[in-house]
Each structure stands twice: as C-alpha cells, then as structure tokens.
C-alpha cells in the first residue's frame, strides 16, 4: 500500500455484505441491518482522513423486484443511520442493470463505471483509494480501477479474484490501514 497521508484518501464501499446484511435484493427499510463493527471501522477510517462512497450493484431493479425509488429510500435511510453515528457517505452510486434483463453496461461491477463517475465527481485518484467488497466483482472492479482492495470474507461467495487484503469486517480493514499508517 502506498504511503498514506491524511485527507487524501477515499474508501469505496460495497453495500450488501459489507455495510448491511446481505438479504438478497434488500430494499425494504425494515430489512436494513447494519453489520457488526461497521460503525467502529468507519469511524477509525474517518479519523485517518478517509471519505466514503458507496458503489452498489442493484440488479433487483432490472429484475423488477423493486423500483429505483425503493432503492434510493433504502440508501437514504442507510446514509441517515450512518450520519447519526458521525459517518458521512459523500455519495452513493448504484447500478440498476443486469445483463440478462437490460443488456451490458459500463457501471455494473466488475466494470468500473461507478468508480470512474465518483473519481470524476470528487477528483479521486486510484492510488489514493481503497475498495472494500465481499464479491469477486467488487474486487475485480477495484483492481481494474487501480486501487487497493479489501475482501470481507463472509463465506457467502467464492473467491476466485485475489484481493490485496482479506478481512472479516470493516473494523479489521481499519486496523490494517492503521498498521500501514504506523509504518
């Protein structure tokens, strides 16, 4: 990992399986369950000068399970709950596509469209960013974009794309970053 310095780093976060419990096409606010140690990890990263952007594939929209409005309401509620804990999500980028329903797109991870849009919007350079995800598509997107990747190992998904770091949760990711800062 390159030398870290305060106020220069960004953290791309996958939503389901990283921030909230992955309940397969979660969109109902009543199903929103922030995972253990998320607040702890995000707080530590924030204290090291990280800013946060959520990048999430939401194929349930393309599949007709829920609407854009449902997904935005869920994301807004997540942002509000995190804000109540002192965590600011600068933006949420969402891919509503699925290749079998809407055709190919540039935003669905492992493509880098959401990361590139965030980079353009916030002047993020890949060497000053990390990505935390739980699926191969997350890690591959981060690698294609050129940032350091962290995989939350939750046993739900196969691991065929190797992340730079394997972690159990966001608090462990923050611990790894803190160790790198101390070097």
């Amino acid at each position: 990992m390159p030398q870290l310095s305060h106020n220069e780093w960004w953290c791309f976060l996958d939503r389901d399986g990283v921030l909230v419990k992955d309940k397969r096409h979660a969109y109902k606010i009543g199903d929103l369950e922030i995972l253990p140690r998320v607040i702890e990890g995000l707080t530590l990263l924030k204290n090291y000068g990280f800013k946060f952007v959520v990048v999430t594939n939401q194929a349930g929209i393309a599949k007709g399970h829920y609407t854009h409005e449902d997904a935005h309401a869920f994301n807004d509620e997540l942002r509000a709950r995190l804000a109540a804990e002192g965590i600011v999500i600068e933006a949420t980028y969402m891919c509503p596509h699925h290749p079998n329903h809407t055709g190919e797109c540039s935003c669905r991870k492992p493509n880098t469209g959401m990361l590139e849009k965030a980079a353009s919007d916030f002047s993020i350079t890949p060497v000053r960013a990390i990505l935390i995800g739980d699926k191969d598509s997350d890690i591959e997107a981060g690698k294609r974009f050129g940032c350091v990747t962290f995989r939350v190992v939750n046993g739900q998904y196969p691991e065929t794309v190797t992340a730079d770091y394997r972690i159990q949760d966001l608090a462990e990711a923050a611990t790894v970053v803190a160790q790198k800062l101390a070097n």
Side-chain angles (χ1 to χ4, degrees):
M1 179 180 283
Q3 180 64 38
L4 298 176
S5 59
H6 294 296
N7 298 321
E8 293 183 34
W9 280 81
W10 286 82
C11 180
F12 293 109
L13 297 159
D14 179 49
R15 191 187 81 179
D16 303 326
V18 174
L19 295 173
V20 300
K21 187 169 184 178
D22 189 347
K23 296 183 178 181
R24 292 289 194 193
H25 302 302
Y27 69 92
K28 295 178 184 171
I29 291 174
D31 290 338
L32 196 159
E33 182 181 341
I34 295 176
L35 290 168
R37 296 178 25 113
V38 163
I39 302 302
E40 176 186 346
L42 293 177
T43 299
L44 183 56
L45 288 169
K46 178 185 83 168
N47 292 342
Y48 283 117
F50 278 79
K51 293 184 177 183
F52 306 105
V53 173
V54 174
V55 288
T56 179
N57 288 348
Q58 291 301 312
I61 296 170
K63 295 176 181 179
H65 296 302
Y66 51 91
T67 66
H68 279 89
E69 293 76 15
D70 294 330
H72 288 301
F74 188 94
N75 293 334
D76 290 346
E77 179 65 19
L78 174 60
R79 284 175 83 168
R81 290 186 191 182
L82 293 174
E85 299 291 337
I87 305 299
V88 175
I89 299 298
E90 301 294 333
T92 298
Y93 296 87
M94 183 175 63
C95 172
H97 309 114
H98 188 280
N100 295 343
H101 298 271
T102 56
E104 294 295 326
C105 67
S106 63
C107 56
R108 182 175 172 80
K109 295 176 288 182
N111 296 322
T112 59
M114 290 186 285
L115 289 88
E116 290 170 14
K117 175 71 171 128
S120 173
D121 290 348
F122 294 100
S123 300
I124 301 170
T125 58
V127 297
R128 292 286 181 208
I130 64 173
L131 179 140
I132 303 175
D134 66 329
K135 299 176 191 72
D136 279 352
S137 59
D138 301 322
I139 303 310
E140 188 173 336
K143 289 188 165 297
R144 287 179 181 181
F145 184 69
C147 61
V148 175
T149 57
F150 290 77
R151 180 191 295 272
V152 175
V153 179
N154 55 24
Q156 288 187 306
Y157 301 102
E159 295 182 48
T160 59
V161 178
T162 304
D164 296 304
Y165 299 94
R166 295 176 80 243
I167 52 167
Q168 296 304 310
D169 55 36
L170 284 176
E172 187 177 349
T175 300
V176 170
V177 169
Q179 291 169 347
K180 295 300 177 183
L181 281 169
N183 292 337

